[in-house]
Amino acid sequence: MSKSNLLIELYSNLSTTGALTFSSKALVNKMISQADLTESKLIVEMGGGDGSITQGIFNRMRPDAELLVFEINPSFCEAMKKQFPQENIRIINDSAGNLDKYLDGRKVDFIFSSLPFSFLSKEVTDEILSQSKNALSQGGAFIQICYSYLLKKLFQKYFGKVQASFTIKNLPPAFVMVCQ
């Protein structure tokens, strides 16, 4: 699927994508720099979109690590499956709220998320954040891109420690929340 078709899909589904455009390289780099992937064995991405964050993770993860990418939009999933045919990357066309069904009891080192929590129901948000907290390994982190600093309070309900950083090198400018 071409970039223009992906953008059409993005704008057609603003309530589930929650974004005006795909993440910039600067935002992806800022997000992924919050994690040391050199020892990570299992990584999760929530909201794969156009694959820009997926590519950033893939470029930094170990060759023997596994990446599970959750994306509810079938068009984005099909495009990502073509972009990432590697056996250690699994594109999952399902809600991140079903995370536990794909882990087989394993713990996750890092969860990278670009989910639009401002648009999700309280029930879906609770399911995703509760499962994320429970899935993390000791020392792991849930790393979220968001456009409102007010979401920090939401993440503090689930995680004991939440640190926020900001980048203007994205449209719109964005926060990266690191939750542990």
Side-chain angles (χ1 to χ4, degrees):
M1 181 178 282
S2 71
K3 271 292 192 204
S4 59
N5 286 345
L6 285 172
L7 281 171
I8 290 168
E9 193 69 33
L10 176 77
Y11 293 130
S12 300
N13 296 287
L14 281 175
S15 64
T16 56
T17 61
L20 298 174
T21 186
F22 295 113
S23 301
S24 68
K25 279 190 175 185
L27 180 57
V28 170
N29 287 331
K30 184 162 193 83
M31 180 188 211
I32 296 170
S33 72
Q34 305 300 312
D36 178 5
L37 299 181
T38 59
E39 297 301 319
S40 299
K41 293 287 192 178
L42 182 57
I43 304 161
V44 168
E45 180 186 0
M46 297 178 170
D50 73 332
S52 56
I53 295 170
T54 312
Q55 186 67 57
I57 296 167
F58 177 71
N59 291 346
R60 291 169 182 86
M61 68 186 223
R62 299 164 49 117
D64 62 338
E66 183 180 2
L67 174 59
L68 305 180
V69 182
F70 287 83
E71 174 55 60
I72 61 169
N73 183 302
S75 298
F76 288 164
C77 284
E78 288 308 311
M80 288 183 63
K81 285 178 181 179
K82 291 176 185 166
Q83 185 179 353
F84 300 103
Q86 298 86 349
E87 287 188 22
N88 61 335
I89 298 179
R90 193 164 151 208
I91 310 300
I92 301 168
N93 186 201
D94 198 357
S95 167
N98 294 320
L99 172 65
D100 62 338
K101 296 177 182 171
Y102 296 90
L103 295 180
D104 300 321
R106 299 177 296 163
K107 292 291 185 181
V108 178
D109 296 302
F110 292 99
I111 299 172
F112 295 93
S113 172
S114 58
L115 296 178
F117 286 106
S118 297
F119 294 108
L120 300 179
S121 71
K122 183 187 179 322
E123 295 78 22
V124 171
T125 295
D126 181 61
E127 186 68 24
I128 292 169
L129 293 176
S130 295
Q131 283 196 36
S132 294
K133 182 180 191 295
N134 292 334
L136 286 174
S137 63
Q138 184 88 11
F142 177 89
I143 303 170
Q144 172 73 39
I145 290 174
C146 50
Y147 303 104
S148 171
Y149 188 79
L150 297 175
L151 284 172
K152 184 175 182 180
K153 288 184 178 187
L154 169 68
F155 301 128
Q156 287 173 326
K157 291 178 184 176
Y158 297 89
F159 300 94
K161 180 180 174 186
V162 179
Q163 294 178 311
S165 58
F166 184 71
T167 183
I168 59 170
K169 296 180 179 180
N170 192 67
L171 184 63
F175 291 94
V176 176
M177 304 276 180
V178 179
C179 311
Q180 296 177 300

